[in-house]
Amino acid sequence: MSDIYRALGDATRRRIITMLKERSMTQKEIVEAFDISQPAIKKHLNVLLEEKIISATVQGKYRLYNLNLDMLQRAYNEMLHFIGELLDDQLASLKNYVEKGEMQDGES
Amino acid sequence: MSDIYRALGDATRRRIITMLKERSMTQKEIVEAFDISQPAIKKHLNVLLEEKIISATVQGKYRLYNLNLDMLQRAYNEMLHFIGELLDDQLASLKNYVEKGEMQDGES
DNA sequence: ATTATATATAACCAAAAGGTTATACGTTGG
DNA sequence: CCAACGTATAACCTTTTGGTTATATATAAT
């Protein structure tokens, strides 16, 4: 199974995703948007490529990266499903206090 | 803000969460369900506590852990929001298959 | 052809993550 | 009180992660 949690688990990668949500970008453009080096960005891109959340098209000397929306959708669906399952079981009582915006027991 | 991705990023933690979905458990019970040491489990519990995904109530020498459903609800909402934004931006048709739970074009 | 530009990769490093064992602490039962 | 049990913490180890710099490769432009 692909480890979607790994791909989304890093803030830089999530920011890249958010950027690519707006428009496709070359690696150079992405690099310029961050304060870290080109190889560092490339590694993040490689992770996202491995998980198939983005893909790249070659354009001369450029690599144009774009979101794989369906895969990103799957990734989030999987997470939502995980959480959702947890919530379903006790959703009735949860709904109640969520709406009231109050906790039932103390916190550390 | 809490980093839900960090918390969910580890398989052991996800399993703990799944277990706590069924019922609250003492640390001892949780430890016995895994093949790793008590301190290792404790570290995972600490991560989940930090992210406020679980909470613990003291009962004598026991610590009873239980899910913080409202926090999971928040995580769920956050993720939905992220995806929703994504869909709004680019792809109305994607919304369709998300709701129907099926793809519209082939995938690797 | 040579140079400039965009990307890829190699080698390295520090810090974080996930585990271990040993041990201290807190509570309860005999 | 003391022993046993559940939990917490300290010290340590290894692997992974996220970063670095230096350099190689591929395409474009002059």
Side-chain angles (χ1 to χ4, degrees):
Chain A
M1 201 219 84
S2 72
D3 191 357
I4 243 52
Y5 300 96
R6 171 193 174 216
L8 300 183
D10 178 88
T12 299
R13 286 196 287 272
R14 289 198 297 275
R15 219 182 114 197
I16 290 174
I17 290 173
T18 301
M19 288 169 52
L20 291 181
K21 181 181 86 183
E22 303 300 326
R23 61 184 182 88
S24 296
M25 296 173 77
T26 67
Q27 180 183 305
K28 195 203 173 204
E29 289 177 310
I30 297 171
V31 168
E32 283 168 351
F34 289 85
D35 274 343
I36 59 182
S37 65
Q38 176 260 325
I41 292 291
K42 183 57 168 67
K43 284 188 185 180
H44 286 303
L45 292 174
N46 281 341
V47 171
L48 293 172
L49 284 170
E50 277 168 32
E51 304 298 340
K52 302 193 177 167
I53 287 172
I54 64 175
S55 47
T57 58
V58 178
Q59 281 192 5
K61 63 180 171 181
Y62 298 92
R63 297 292 178 280
L64 193 60
Y65 289 93
N66 63 293
L67 273 188
N68 255 352
L69 285 175
D70 59 331
M71 190 53 77
L72 184 61
Q73 183 66 59
R74 279 165 189 246
Y76 271 95
N77 276 349
E78 191 181 312
M79 286 186 163
L80 292 176
H81 181 253
F82 179 80
I83 298 181
E85 242 180 19
L86 301 176
L87 296 175
D88 283 350
D89 275 13
Q90 306 174 46
L91 200 58
S93 65
L94 170 72
K95 214 166 199 168
N96 215 321
Y97 81 71
V98 163
E99 277 159 11
K100 290 181 183 166
E102 58 188 47
M103 306 264 307
Q104 53 196 356
D105 65 348
E107 179 42 44
S108 72
Chain B
M1 213 232 88
S2 74
D3 189 354
I4 187 71
Y5 301 97
R6 172 193 176 216
L8 298 184
D10 179 88
T12 299
R13 286 197 287 273
R14 289 197 297 275
R15 220 182 114 197
I16 290 174
I17 291 174
T18 301
M19 288 169 52
L20 291 181
K21 171 185 102 184
E22 303 301 327
R23 61 186 182 86
S24 296
M25 296 174 78
T26 67
Q27 181 185 306
K28 195 204 173 204
E29 288 177 309
I30 298 171
V31 168
E32 283 168 352
F34 289 84
D35 274 344
I36 59 183
S37 65
Q38 175 260 325
I41 292 291
K42 183 57 167 68
K43 284 188 185 180
H44 286 301
L45 291 174
N46 282 340
V47 171
L48 294 173
L49 284 170
E50 277 168 33
E51 303 299 341
K52 301 195 177 167
I53 288 171
I54 64 175
S55 48
T57 57
V58 178
Q59 281 191 4
K61 61 180 170 181
Y62 297 92
R63 298 291 178 279
L64 193 61
Y65 289 94
N66 62 293
L67 277 186
N68 254 352
L69 288 174
D70 63 328
M71 191 53 77
L72 285 170
Q73 182 70 54
R74 278 166 193 250
Y76 189 87
N77 287 341
E78 189 184 312
M79 287 183 180
L80 274 184
H81 180 251
F82 186 90
I83 295 184
E85 251 179 14
L86 217 160
L87 298 177
D88 289 348
D89 275 13
Q90 298 190 23
L91 210 61
S93 69
L94 185 60
K95 216 166 200 164
N96 214 321
Y97 91 68
V98 168
E99 279 156 13
K100 291 182 183 168
E102 58 186 53
M103 305 268 310
Q104 54 198 352
D105 66 347
E107 177 43 40
S108 71

